[in-house]
Amino acid sequence: GKKKGRELGFPTANIILLEKMDGGIYAGKTIISDREYLGAIFVYPGGDLFEVHLLDFEGDLYGQALKVHVGEKIRDSKQFDDVEDLKAQIAADIDYIKNLKF
C-alpha cells in the first residue's frame, strides 16, 4: 500500500478480497501464527480490497500469512476533509470494537 494508515498512526495490512463486500468499516479478528487479534477493517468502495488495522499488534506483517474473519459492520465509509477528524473517528471505531463481544 501507500502506507497512509501508518502515517496516521494506524498501520494496516492491505488484502485483496476474493468475493466483493459492501464498503464500510467492520470489526473483525485476524489470526497470525496461531495468535488472534481484534481488528478494524476498512473495505474500500467497490468491495474488492480491504485494509485491516490489528489492535495491540506490534511488528512487521510483510510476508506473514493472515487469516481474517470479518464481523459486524460498524458504519459506512465517509470522506473526511480534516486529517484530525479522520484520526478521531478511527480512534472511536477502535474503542467501539474493543467493547464488542465476539
Side-chain angles (χ1 to χ4, degrees), residues 25 40 55 74-75 88-98:
I25 310 303
L55 283 58
I74 296 172
R75 64 177 176 85
Q89 182 62 62
I90 293 170
D93 293 340
I94 289 170
D95 286 343
Y96 181 83
I97 291 167
K98 286 180 177 179

Side-chain angles (χ1 to χ4, degrees), residues 72-86:
E72 176 184 331
K73 184 174 184 179
I74 296 172
R75 64 177 176 85
D76 291 328
S77 59
K78 61 181 179 179
Q79 192 71 28
F80 290 87
D81 294 326
D82 184 272
V83 173
E84 294 305 316
D85 290 344
L86 172 58

